[in-house]
Amino acid sequence: MSDQVCQQTAEHSGLLKFLSAMFYAGSSFVITIVNKTVLTSFRFPSYMCLGIGQMVTTLIVLYAAKKSNTVQFQDFDRSILFKIFPLPLLYVGNHITGLASTKKLSLPMFTVLRKFTILMTMILEVYILRKTFPKRLVYSVVAIVLGAMVAASSDLAFDAEGYIFILLNDAFTAASSVYTKEKLGTEGLGKYGVLFYNALIIVIPTLLASAFTGDLHKAVTFKDWVEATFICCFFMSCIMGFVLMYSIVLCSHYNSALTTTVVGAIKNVAVAFIGIFVGGDYLFSWTNFLGLSICMSGGVLYSYLTFNNKTSGQNTEETQELKIPVAEDSTGKYSVN
């Protein structure tokens, strides 16, 4: 399965890879700003209910599209659960921890700490998809993570709970990206099936969890439901939640899981730079600014190496130089030699 996924990725044109990556970056940028507005500016009390709204929107849009024959994916049966597992669990963990960390952290620190997703994704691609990486790509990833560490070292608004949420979000995102890439090759699912059944399987448990924790009551009794501006932002967040999920799957279809993760990281650095001037919750320091600049440099280098067709042949040769040996023992587990 992993060899087939890698071969399909190589066959896609550079233009499709680039456009899908830009679509993901733009969608992610917009939803970060909208979610920050809903959860911080309006002080909406339930990030879990905001996530439920995004899931419901995804179900409505895709169900209507399937009924009108705009899109095609497999009808539900028992095999769906086996085909899509563990994506629903990873998705709900990614969704909830992402919204929670958005609420707890300033935009710049949120975007900085998200960089550790890249390293986690690279490790998981080695073990799950059996991929290898050129030296220059590894160096660019190291630069991104190093910049994140430099920027985070000067965080003047440290929030332990926020840091825990963001690191959990990194782990969920990395696992979700790699498994999404793997599941896209599963017969009967495809891009739209992955999106639809992910949301369908987890929306009811998430709704029950929000009711049990009291989040649903807080959301229903929120005072700003009578404000047209808040309602507009809330529904925009729901719509952008679907657009973001679709853009992630599309980018993963045309690119590697690592490239999808790095694209998100580059977008996050851009958000961080904007957050310096708008938002009002960023505490400036030169160390933090230097770290952000290092992150951006590493991201630009990665993008150049990935999307520049002229370097593709050289990258293929260098891949052999940095192959990470992974041996399979008698128990079926993988180990690094």
Side-chain angles (χ1 to χ4, degrees):
M1 175 69 70
S2 60
D3 293 338
Q4 182 181 1
V5 167
C6 295
Q7 182 178 1
Q8 289 175 347
T9 301
E11 292 174 353
H12 297 311
S13 70
L15 180 60
L16 287 175
K17 292 181 179 181
F18 178 76
L19 291 178
S20 64
M22 290 302 98
F23 178 43
Y24 167 47
S27 302
S28 185
F29 175 83
V30 172
I31 197 173
T32 300
I33 301 298
V34 174
N35 283 345
K36 188 68 177 176
T37 301
V38 172
L39 295 171
T40 302
S41 299
F42 286 102
R43 300 185 182 279
F44 184 67
S46 176
Y47 51 81
M48 192 178 297
C49 288
L50 183 60
I52 291 172
Q54 295 172 356
M55 296 175 209
V56 170
T57 302
T58 299
L59 290 173
I60 293 173
V61 171
L62 288 179
Y63 183 78
K66 180 176 173 61
K67 284 298 182 181
S68 64
N69 293 321
T70 304
V71 301
Q72 300 290 332
F73 54 87
Q74 178 181 340
D75 293 331
F76 183 81
D77 58 39
R78 293 182 180 180
S79 67
I80 291 293
L81 297 175
F82 297 99
K83 288 180 179 181
I84 206 167
F85 186 83
L87 271 183
L89 298 179
L90 298 174
Y91 173 77
V92 71
N94 182 34
H95 215 71
I96 293 175
T97 56
L99 290 171
S101 55
T102 299
K103 185 175 182 179
K104 292 288 183 181
L105 298 173
S106 68
L107 270 178
M109 289 317 303
F110 170 83
T111 57
V112 163
L113 294 173
R114 285 284 290 159
K115 303 303 172 294
F116 291 98
T117 305
I118 301 172
L119 185 60
M120 296 178 186
T121 302
M122 179 176 282
I123 294 171
L124 287 177
E125 281 204 293
V126 169
Y127 280 93
I128 296 175
L129 301 182
R130 307 299 297 273
K131 290 197 63 175
T132 55
F133 299 96
K135 285 184 178 180
R136 289 182 293 178
L137 283 183
V138 175
Y139 295 154
S140 64
V141 168
V142 170
I144 296 172
V145 176
L146 176 62
M149 295 176 65
V150 171
S153 67
S154 66
D155 186 8
L156 304 178
F158 179 79
D159 186 318
E161 187 177 359
Y163 272 56
I164 292 173
F165 273 124
I166 195 65
L167 291 176
L168 285 174
N169 185 233
D170 291 344
F172 280 120
T173 301
S176 182
S177 296
V178 173
Y179 277 105
T180 295
K181 183 65 179 180
E182 185 182 52
K183 298 299 180 181
L184 285 174
T186 303
E187 183 180 357
L189 283 180
K191 300 187 291 292
Y192 303 108
V194 168
L195 281 175
F196 184 83
Y197 290 116
N198 252 335
L200 180 65
I201 291 171
I202 64 180
V203 66
I204 295 178
T206 307
L207 183 61
L208 293 175
S210 68
F212 179 77
T213 59
D215 266 27
L216 183 60
H217 176 73
K218 292 178 183 178
V220 171
T221 58
F222 183 58
K223 60 181 179 62
D224 282 348
W225 281 116
V226 296
E227 296 290 335
T229 306
F230 169 75
I231 294 175
C232 179
C233 290
F234 185 87
F235 279 106
M236 183 179 294
S237 175
C238 292
I239 294 171
M240 286 307 303
F242 161 71
V243 173
L244 175 65
M245 287 183 280
Y246 175 70
S247 68
I248 291 173
V249 170
L250 192 66
C251 188
S252 298
H253 176 69
Y254 288 120
N255 297 281
S256 69
L258 181 62
T259 297
T260 302
T261 304
V262 171
V263 168
I266 298 171
K267 176 274 307 179
N268 287 338
V269 174
V271 172
F273 277 113
I274 293 174
I276 294 175
F277 305 102
V278 299
D281 57 356
Y282 176 70
L283 301 176
F284 180 84
S285 75
W286 282 108
T287 304
N288 186 274
F289 183 78
L290 175 63
L292 293 177
S293 300
I294 296 174
C295 280
M296 178 60 83
S297 300
V300 170
L301 175 61
Y302 182 95
S303 300
Y304 175 79
L305 295 175
T306 301
F307 298 116
N308 188 352
N309 292 329
K310 293 180 180 180
T311 62
S312 59
Q314 298 173 358
N315 287 346
T316 303
E317 295 176 0
E318 289 189 23
T319 299
Q320 304 301 323
E321 299 176 12
L322 200 72
K323 188 175 291 185
I324 304 176
V326 180
E328 184 174 0
D329 58 26
S330 58
T331 65
K333 298 181 178 179
Y334 298 114
S335 59
V336 178
N337 296 332

